[in-house]
Every structure is written in structure tokens, then in C-alpha cells.
């Protein structure tokens, strides 16, 4: 909707469809769909990821992963795209994965060599 509004007044934009996973100080995990709207040519992943991490940190959370779904979606559709009945319908890529979480995943894989 925001993208359509900006485009209708002549401002070209790119919408990034994200699922942001984070945790609180107690280790409780959360995730939320998010859209980042940027002008074409300024879709810098590093800047966007840094800002998302800063925003979460200021609220007492730690970022541990960000995935991006490629396609045109409304914000309300993203939960279904990432975790619901539409899962697997469009390409999804990791933009960020916390190093500690990656090490845990790799350790589990090493412990189960026959299940890779």
C-alpha cells in the first residue's frame, strides 16, 4: 500500500519483503514480517541490516536472522509466505544469520552426519 502511494505520486521505490527473527534477554524467540521501502539503487543490505539490528537493540532485543522473500506482497501476506500455506511459492534468501546461531546449527549437523 505504501509502495503504491509513493509510486502514484511519481516516486519510484523498491519494497523488500523481510522476516526478522530476534530474541529477548531471556532467550525467548520472536519473529515479525517487515517491509523496507527504498529508492531504486539504494537497496544497500548492510545499511538496512544495521538499522534493523540497532532498532531491535534499542528495544532490548538481539537480532539473529533476516530472510527476504522475492516478489510483490502486502505486509499482511508475509507471515503466510514465510511460515504458512504460501511457504515455498517464491524464492527466499538469508540476508543475515547470527554467527552464534550458525555455529549451533553446524554443531548439530556434525552430531548427526547421517541426517544431512
Amino acid at each position: 500500500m505504501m509502495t503504491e502511494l509513493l509510486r502514484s505520486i511519481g516516486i519510484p521505490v523498491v519494497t523488500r519483503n523481510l522476516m526478522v527473527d530476534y530474541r529477548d534477554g531471556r532467550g525467548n524467540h520472536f519473529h515479525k514480517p517487515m517491509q523496507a521501502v527504498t529508492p531504486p539503487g539504494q537497496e544497500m543490505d548492510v545499511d538496512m541490516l544495521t538499522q534493523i539490528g540497532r532498532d531491535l537493540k534499542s528495544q532490548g532485543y538481539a537480532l539473529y536472522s533476516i530472510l527476504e522473500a522475492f516478489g510483490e506482497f502486502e505486509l499482511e501476506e508475509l507471515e503466510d509466505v514465510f511460515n504458512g500455506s504460501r511457504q515455498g511459492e517464491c524464492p527466499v534468501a538469508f540476508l543475515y544469520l547470527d554467527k552464534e546461531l550458525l555455529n549451533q546449527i553446524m554443531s548439530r549437523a556434525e552430531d548427526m552426519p547421517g541426517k544431512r
Side-chain angles (χ1 to χ4, degrees):
M1 188 167 175
M2 174 70 108
T3 304
E4 290 174 22
L5 174 64
L6 292 169
R7 287 179 183 157
S8 72
I9 58 175
I11 301 172
V13 293
V14 174
T15 302
R16 309 282 300 268
N17 301 296
L18 311 172
M19 180 59 75
V20 179
D21 294 298
Y22 53 99
R23 62 181 176 263
D24 64 15
R26 295 180 183 170
N28 298 311
H29 295 262
F30 306 93
H31 70 267
K32 69 176 178 180
M34 176 185 289
Q35 288 181 313
V37 179
T38 60
Q42 295 184 11
E43 310 95 8
M44 297 298 295
D45 288 350
V46 173
D47 297 337
M48 180 180 64
L49 299 176
T50 300
Q51 188 60 49
I52 292 170
R54 281 185 191 147
D55 290 347
L56 287 170
K57 188 174 182 176
S58 73
Q59 298 171 42
Y61 297 104
L63 174 64
Y64 68 89
S65 73
I66 298 177
L67 291 109
E68 180 173 15
F70 301 98
E72 292 285 328
F73 307 101
E74 293 296 324
L75 183 60
E76 297 79 26
E77 296 176 285
L78 289 180
E79 180 71 35
D80 205 32
V81 168
F82 283 104
N83 298 316
S85 63
R86 294 185 65 186
Q87 189 174 14
E89 285 184 13
C90 67
V92 174
F94 269 100
L95 296 181
Y96 174 80
L97 182 60
D98 179 72
K99 184 179 178 182
E100 180 181 314
L101 180 60
L102 178 60
N103 287 339
Q104 290 173 8
I105 292 168
M106 296 306 291
S107 291
R108 288 184 198 144
E110 289 172 2
D111 292 342
M112 300 182 291
K115 297 194 179 206
R116 287 189 209 171

